[in-house]
Amino acid sequence: MLNGQNLPFLLVLTVLVSWPAVEAAMVSVCSDIKDCAGCTQSYVHIFSFREYCRWCISTNTCGGPLSCPAGVATAQRDAFKCPTPATTAKGYRYTDKLGRSLYSLNMAAMQEDPTKCIQNSRSDVKFIKRFEVECDQTGNTCAGYLAISEEAKAIYVVYRGSTFNRQLFQEFVQGIGAQLGAWEKFINGSGVMTYFYGGFRKLFLQTEMKAQLDALNKKYENYRIWVTGHSLGGSLASITALYLANSTAYNANKIRLVTFGEPRTGNYLYAKTIEENLKFRYRVVNRNDIVTNVPASMDPDNLLLTVATAERQPYYYRYLVHYDKGMDRNADFKICESSEDHHCRNLGLAVDVSDHEAYFGVKADAYIKAGCPKAMIM
């Protein structure tokens, strides 16, 4: 029988004997490689053992296991981990104005009838229909709505965030299973957290939500489809966006994914699949939002675990939009070029519940109580 005392031994055993086949080229010296992608696909032989080269992101150099300064970001064994700058092209870049506009729609999702809230903040947006289902055995619900803007030539899929206490507890519990490699199979062999997948299936696939979105997409075939959500809603949004991008009925280039306070929704393969399928994707994070580091990854740089084991670990997709100093008007933000957030922000500080509740300096309850005034957020 396995118990906690066996785990260190099993981890070492896995590291030593479970290396999968990786397409890579043997080189004489790692430092001869001058680009990140080439470095991650190269290795040297040391005492008959294969040692993979690693790219030191801070110095832009390739080297062996001791070549990078301790604690700095590295990339090895997969070019996916190499820095990739976000585009600055018009129509594909993130702006604070865009974030505020979409977040106003997120807060409206908290109401059973978001019509007036949407009209007060985004008068160009027409509410279509809201959907709500029980998404777990304790009676917690998941909700979302569809809307459209002829002025912006946009269709909106908006998901409500987590309700605190019981629902967040359910997510934390299932996050532990995700850290141990328990995932629901999704597109291209990727895995998503069981709780999020169940909510997506019940809310989007098993109600009329998908059918009505299909009808809108067919009627307004030239419109962009914005998929967004906060917290749990962010995870439902990313799953939905990837699902749509892999449907022949949808043009992946027209799908726009922007989430707020999204947890790690899926594993390493999920992060890669998101990036391969969605050109426009941003995860907005307020300072030290506690939810954005759940579930945690045990070995995000893949320094200890095998490739196969690391692929089952929770992982983020690019691009993180981090408001490090808060989200007041005109606040600065940075867009992370790395595929995991720990290279761009101190995840040890991500323990603040209040940062999760107040994006752009606005708490949803206060915003709704005030009548969703545009001036409060825009």
Side-chain angles (χ1 to χ4, degrees):
M1 180 179 294
L2 299 180
N3 55 48
Q5 294 179 342
N6 299 127
L7 292 180
F9 170 75
L10 291 176
L11 177 61
V12 173
L13 185 63
T14 302
V15 172
L16 291 176
V17 304
S18 300
W19 292 91
V22 177
E23 293 184 8
M26 187 179 76
V27 296
S28 298
V29 183
C30 291
S31 58
D32 289 342
I33 309 300
K34 303 303 180 184
D35 67 283
C36 182
C39 182
T40 60
Q41 298 300 306
S42 302
Y43 65 91
V44 294
H45 272 144
I46 300 178
F47 301 116
S48 299
F49 289 96
R50 177 180 292 192
E51 177 61 47
Y52 286 87
C53 301
R54 62 197 66 195
W55 184 259
C56 304
I57 294 176
S58 61
T59 60
N60 290 323
T61 57
C62 186
L66 302 177
S67 59
C68 300
V72 305
T74 62
Q76 69 174 113
R77 292 194 285 190
D78 193 340
F80 171 69
K81 298 179 180 179
C82 292
T84 306
T87 182
T88 57
K90 186 177 180 180
Y92 282 91
R93 61 176 179 261
Y94 172 86
T95 65
D96 185 70
K97 181 179 179 181
L98 170 65
R100 290 174 178 274
S101 175
L102 290 173
Y103 194 65
S104 69
L105 298 179
N106 276 252
M107 290 188 290
M110 295 183 64
Q111 294 190 300
E112 290 186 8
D113 183 0
T115 305
K116 290 184 178 180
C117 189
I118 294 172
Q119 288 177 347
N120 289 344
S121 60
R122 285 286 305 273
S123 59
D124 63 301
V125 175
K126 177 185 177 183
F127 169 69
I128 301 297
K129 187 175 181 179
R130 185 177 185 269
F131 306 84
E132 185 169 6
V133 298
E134 285 193 6
C135 53
D136 60 42
Q137 295 179 346
T138 62
N140 294 308
T141 64
C142 297
Y145 69 86
L146 301 176
I148 190 170
S149 171
E150 295 185 3
E151 179 181 321
K153 294 188 181 304
I155 299 169
Y156 297 97
V157 183
V158 185
Y159 287 107
R160 189 191 68 193
S162 309
T163 56
F164 271 85
N165 300 324
R166 291 187 307 169
Q167 192 161 38
L168 272 180
F169 177 75
Q170 291 290 326
E171 295 174 37
F172 276 110
V173 169
Q174 296 205 23
I176 296 174
Q179 287 177 308
L180 300 175
W183 302 97
E184 294 292 336
K185 291 183 179 179
F186 201 51
I187 292 168
N188 292 347
S190 65
V192 294
M193 207 160 89
T194 301
Y195 192 89
F196 301 145
Y197 179 75
F200 162 74
R201 181 173 52 83
K202 293 175 182 178
L203 180 58
F204 185 76
L205 297 181
Q206 295 181 359
T207 67
E208 290 296 312
M209 193 173 187
K210 178 183 178 299
Q212 292 208 19
L213 178 61
D214 289 344
L216 290 172
N217 178 56
K218 186 175 182 179
K219 182 177 180 179
Y220 302 99
E221 58 182 1
N222 293 322
Y223 283 26
R224 293 173 178 173
I225 300 176
W226 293 86
V227 191
T228 184
H230 171 255
S231 191
L232 162 66
S235 293
L236 297 178
S238 70
I239 294 173
T240 300
L242 181 55
Y243 176 87
L244 296 178
N246 275 266
S247 170
T248 56
Y250 289 81
N251 182 345
N253 291 326
K254 292 187 178 298
I255 298 173
R256 304 287 189 266
L257 172 63
V258 181
T259 68
F260 304 90
E262 179 188 349
R264 287 185 179 85
T265 301
N267 58 17
Y268 184 78
L269 290 177
Y270 178 75
K272 293 185 69 173
T273 305
I274 283 276
E275 294 198 18
E276 290 167 358
N277 287 270
L278 297 168
K279 293 182 179 179
F280 191 107
R281 58 188 188 278
Y282 293 101
R283 294 180 295 103
V284 182
V285 173
N286 180 28
R287 286 169 41 91
N288 297 315
D289 182 344
I290 187 173
V291 174
T292 60
N293 193 28
V294 178
S297 179
M298 293 189 295
D299 184 26
D301 277 331
N302 193 195
L303 299 177
L304 299 175
L305 303 177
T306 67
V307 172
T309 304
E311 285 179 345
R312 294 193 293 272
Q313 281 292 293
Y315 215 83
Y316 265 136
Y317 58 87
R318 274 171 286 240
Y319 289 99
L320 161 70
V321 179
H322 190 213
Y323 287 80
D324 188 37
K325 304 298 182 183
M327 304 183 78
D328 294 336
R329 296 183 190 280
N330 301 316
D332 292 330
F333 60 83
K334 62 179 179 181
I335 300 180
C336 183
E337 297 182 354
S338 296
S339 54
E340 236 298 329
D341 290 8
H342 76 288
H343 292 320
C344 301
R345 61 185 179 117
N346 188 343
L347 293 180
L349 299 177
V351 294
D352 198 321
V353 173
S354 62
D355 284 345
H356 185 68
E357 294 178 311
Y359 272 61
F360 301 103
V362 179
K363 286 192 173 183
D365 289 342
Y367 177 75
I368 291 172
K369 185 177 180 179
C372 307
K374 182 177 181 179
M376 195 169 177
I377 187 171
M378 299 294 287

